[in-house]
Amino acid sequence: HLMASMEVEESYIMIKPDGVQRGLVGEIISRFEKKGFKLKGLKLFHCPKQLAEEHYKDLSSKPFFPKLITYITSGPVVCMAWEGVGVVASARKLIGATNPLQAEPGTIRGDLAVQTGRNVVHGSDSPENGKREIALWFKEGELTEWTPVQTPWLV
Ligand code: RTP
């Protein structure tokens, strides 16, 4: 498990094709918004095979890898960059366990999914991977630096 961090971090969160097809985009985005994290990048994108393979390169030797690539490239995904104190580990908690049947109720996967191969959302597993994945999925100019008004309750 990731330790709770006091650092400002970035996490790459992606609504997978099943989440888009099932109309869960608003529901999933709202969970990160309500928690109090800051959205820095957002786009709907149909990802090419090569990018999916690069993103999941650490899993390339797994037997489920070809299926995973077919799944992720099967339709548009929603790419998001979220910033905040401890956002990487917190987002993983909000998302829940990889196998949705083991994910706690109250988590995105626990509430909204059944199958590991159809688990609606991705979240970076370390601050380093957060930066790597945001750089991989977003071009320069697609991320926006901004300061929300009325933040005192959340910092
Ligand atoms: P993610 O990277 O998507 O946030 O998922 P994760 O860290 O919870 O899980 P990971 O082990 O990194 O696996 C990445 C994605 O591959 C699919 N998967 N299928 N046994 C299987 O069929 C299997 N295992 C993993 C899932 O979509 C998982 O989220």
Side-chain angles (χ1 to χ4, degrees), residues 120-137:
V120 300
V121 64
H122 161 82
S124 304
D125 63 7
S126 68
E128 295 69 36
N129 275 336
K131 282 194 188 304
R132 177 184 82 89
E133 292 169 1
I134 288 168
L136 188 62
W137 288 85

Side-chain angles (χ1 to χ4, degrees), residues 16 56 59 64 68 71 92 97-98 109 116-119 121-123:
K16 297 178 179 180
Y56 281 122
L59 301 175
F64 60 80
L68 176 58
Y71 163 48
R92 299 278 290 185
T98 305
R109 289 170 176 162
T116 300
R118 296 284 182 267
N119 60 3
V121 64
H122 161 82

Side-chain angles (χ1 to χ4, degrees), residues 64-76:
F64 60 80
F65 186 72
K67 268 193 185 166
L68 176 58
I69 300 304
T70 301
Y71 163 48
I72 293 300
T73 58
S74 67

Side-chain angles (χ1 to χ4, degrees), residues 35-98:
K35 176 72 176 171
F37 294 125
K38 188 167 90 176
L39 187 61
K40 294 180 75 180
L42 173 68
K43 66 177 178 183
L44 184 73
F45 179 58
H46 197 146
C47 108
K49 192 168 177 231
Q50 201 186 350
L51 177 57
E53 287 171 346
E54 176 64 22
H55 173 80
Y56 281 122
K57 67 179 178 195
D58 291 349
L59 301 175
S60 61
S61 61
K62 302 279 185 192
F64 60 80
F65 186 72
K67 268 193 185 166
L68 176 58
I69 300 304
T70 301
Y71 163 48
I72 293 300
T73 58
S74 67
V77 296
V78 174
C79 308
M80 294 180 279
W82 287 91
E83 181 188 86
V85 172
V87 66
V88 170
S90 180
R92 299 278 290 185
K93 278 195 178 184
L94 292 171
I95 289 169
T98 305

